[in-house]
Amino acid sequence: GMAADMWSMGMLFLEVTCGLRSIEDALSGLNKVKKESSMQPSLQAADAILRKFARPGAVETFCDRMVPDAVELRPWLVPLVTDLVKVNPEDRMTAAALAAALPFTPTPAGLASVDAEPIA
């Protein structure tokens, strides 16, 4: 549903600005899960991801690895992504709130800067 889409947007923002696959990083410790676990591997993966982002400061930790061109976005990006990847789906940012928080305006013809002239 929409909450899963918002989570995905948060992951996309992290991947683009940090130059890494956040999910893969979150799963890097998964091989430490005991083999005798009764959880299916896909559930183990989901559990590992949720535990990673449930930690206070998780998004800031990922943002410590930002690519140089994205560093100036950090003050805007950290709170945005933090709201997108909240563990409880009901607490995540909505699509309307995300659109309002973007520093550009989505239009049918593409993206326009907030300060740009409207696209005709």
Side-chain angles (χ1 to χ4, degrees), residues 41-110:
S42 60
L43 292 177
Q44 289 178 5
D47 184 60
I49 293 165
L50 289 175
R51 278 186 281 118
K52 182 82 166 189
F53 285 98
R55 296 179 187 151
V59 172
E60 290 90 341
T61 300
F62 279 109
C63 288
D64 286 344
R65 307 172 192 161
M66 291 184 108
V67 295
D69 290 343
V71 170
E72 66 188 49
L73 297 175
R74 186 183 176 120
W76 168 80
L77 186 74
V78 170
L80 179 87
V81 173
T82 299
D83 284 345
L84 287 168
V85 299
K86 291 193 179 216
V87 174
N88 183 346
E90 294 177 9
D91 294 338
R92 287 186 202 142
M93 180 179 274
T94 64
L98 174 61
L102 295 175
F104 48 81
T105 305
T107 68

Side-chain angles (χ1 to χ4, degrees), residues 23-32 52:
I23 298 293
E24 288 178 6
D25 186 67
L27 294 176
S28 64
L30 188 59
N31 61 355
K32 297 175 186 171
K52 182 82 166 189

Side-chain angles (χ1 to χ4, degrees), residues 26-43:
L27 294 176
S28 64
L30 188 59
N31 61 355
K32 297 175 186 171
V33 175
K34 294 181 180 179
K35 300 287 184 190
E36 58 271 2
S37 172
S38 61
M39 276 192 194
Q40 296 176 350
S42 60
L43 292 177

Side-chain angles (χ1 to χ4, degrees), residues 99 102-107 109-119:
L102 295 175
F104 48 81
T105 305
T107 68
L111 301 177
S113 169
V114 173
D115 299 326
E117 293 295 318
I119 298 174

